[in-house]
Amino acid sequence: MGQSPSAPTRGPLLADRPMAVAGRFYPGDPAQLAQEVDSLLAGVKASPAPLRPKAVVAPHAGLAYSGPTAAHAFAPLARHRDAIHRVVVLGPSHRLAFRGLALSGTRAYDSPLGPVPVDHSWQDRLSDLAFVGRLEQAHGPEHALEVELPFLQRILGPFSIVPIVCGEAAAEEVAQALERVWGGPETLIVVSSDLSHYLEYEDARRQDGRTATAIARLDGAPIGPREACGHVPLGGLLCLARAAGMTTRCLDLRNSGDTAGPRDRVVGYGAWAFYDPTNLLG
């Protein structure tokens, strides 16, 4: 399983983290990136209800593939742009196997749209959890967190992030970590995950439909790595949401065969919003 995150979480701050997939998953040119993200967000029909999501699930492929679905996760946040100042972003580790949850000592994520500062004081809330610590090797090449940032930067006012890359961890452990950084209306939780991978189009639709049903029930048990690459952070969110009596809404469900790819080997994408019963209205 490889190494585990090192403790404690606090140490010397590192230089800003360069973007690993700028120019590949999304444009590296700021003007082009802003234009493409704004176009995707403008394509989302406005929600009729003024609900403020406490958490969202969004995919993390290239903009051409998953961008339309990701836009559905983030567009409803526009009316709450001045209320959200911190975003906890959790995603899977695609390139490094490890046990636990990995934080970063970097000062900021150096997005083409401007640096996004890391909230180290908020990270310190996790410092006494044995399965949480710094592991820069998990953050450096990982794309799952950074591809969400351009959407957040175009939809919100100034904000900081708590970036968490998830290795192998139980849903209860992720839920425990999330409780520490849940915060109030100023804090948004973002879980980054794609759904099924490389199935034929109709098979993917059926499997992703079953995953959507499980999410609607706030049931993470049927969701493993075949159902969602981000099943670890998603399972933690579902565990906590169920205990807290939250409600969820599926905002979009499609796959790469619907957007920019062939239909013989597709990747599934879904967008969900989670609502805290104590904070439904904006």
Side-chain angles (χ1 to χ4, degrees):
M1 180 49 61
Q3 58 188 307
S4 297
S6 62
T9 57
R10 175 55 66 94
L13 294 186
L14 306 177
D16 291 1
R17 175 197 180 274
M19 297 295 94
V21 293
R24 294 191 290 131
F25 280 47
Y26 56 87
D29 175 74
Q32 183 184 356
L33 177 58
Q35 181 180 17
E36 290 193 18
V37 171
D38 287 351
S39 178
L40 290 166
L41 292 167
V44 178
K45 184 179 179 180
S47 171
L51 300 180
R52 177 189 295 174
K54 177 59 184 179
V56 299
V57 175
H60 53 234
L63 281 188
Y65 295 95
S66 68
T69 296
H72 278 79
F74 295 112
L77 301 171
R79 70 182 70 201
H80 312 295
R81 60 175 283 118
D82 296 327
I84 298 170
H85 307 299
R86 181 185 305 106
V87 183
V88 180
V89 190
L90 304 92
S93 178
H94 287 89
R95 292 175 173 79
L96 182 70
F98 65 95
R99 174 76 178 88
L101 308 183
L103 306 179
S104 175
T106 187
R107 286 189 296 259
Y109 268 54
D110 193 15
S111 166
L113 299 180
V116 182
V118 173
D119 190 332
H120 290 279
S121 65
W122 212 252
Q123 283 193 154
D124 287 348
R125 290 175 171 235
L126 305 173
S127 61
D128 63 334
L129 297 177
F131 54 90
V132 180
R134 282 192 184 183
L135 186 59
E136 302 301 338
Q137 298 95 316
H139 284 263
E142 182 54 56
H143 66 275
L145 307 187
E146 73 172 71
V147 297
E148 314 297 6
L149 297 184
F151 286 98
L152 291 164
Q153 288 179 284
R154 296 304 293 174
I155 210 74
L156 298 180
F159 66 95
S160 61
I161 58 171
V162 180
I164 304 175
V165 177
C166 298
E168 181 182 301
E172 294 77 11
E173 290 177 319
V174 179
Q176 184 182 6
L178 277 173
E179 282 187 297
R180 301 285 185 93
V181 292
W182 196 250
E186 81 293 336
T187 302
L188 172 73
I189 309 298
V190 174
V191 167
S192 179
S193 181
D194 294 338
L195 301 179
S196 62
H197 281 59
Y198 309 132
L199 299 179
E200 189 274 336
Y201 181 84
E202 291 298 336
D203 292 338
R205 280 173 54 87
R206 285 189 288 270
Q207 179 165 308
D208 294 341
R210 291 191 292 270
T211 299
T213 298
I215 293 174
R217 297 196 307 259
L218 302 179
D219 181 10
I223 305 174
R226 292 173 60 88
E227 288 73 31
C229 58
H231 66 101
V232 171
L234 178 57
L237 175 60
L238 291 170
C239 179
L240 187 56
R242 189 168 189 169
M246 298 180 74
T247 58
T248 185
R249 178 185 176 194
C250 183
L251 306 173
D252 193 55
L253 187 65
R254 66 180 88 183
N255 62 53
S256 57
D258 298 312
T259 54
R263 291 197 167 191
D264 57 337
R265 280 167 54 86
V266 306
V267 177
Y269 310 123
W272 283 268
F274 288 73
Y275 305 100
D276 187 331
T278 63
N279 181 35
L280 289 180
L281 295 180

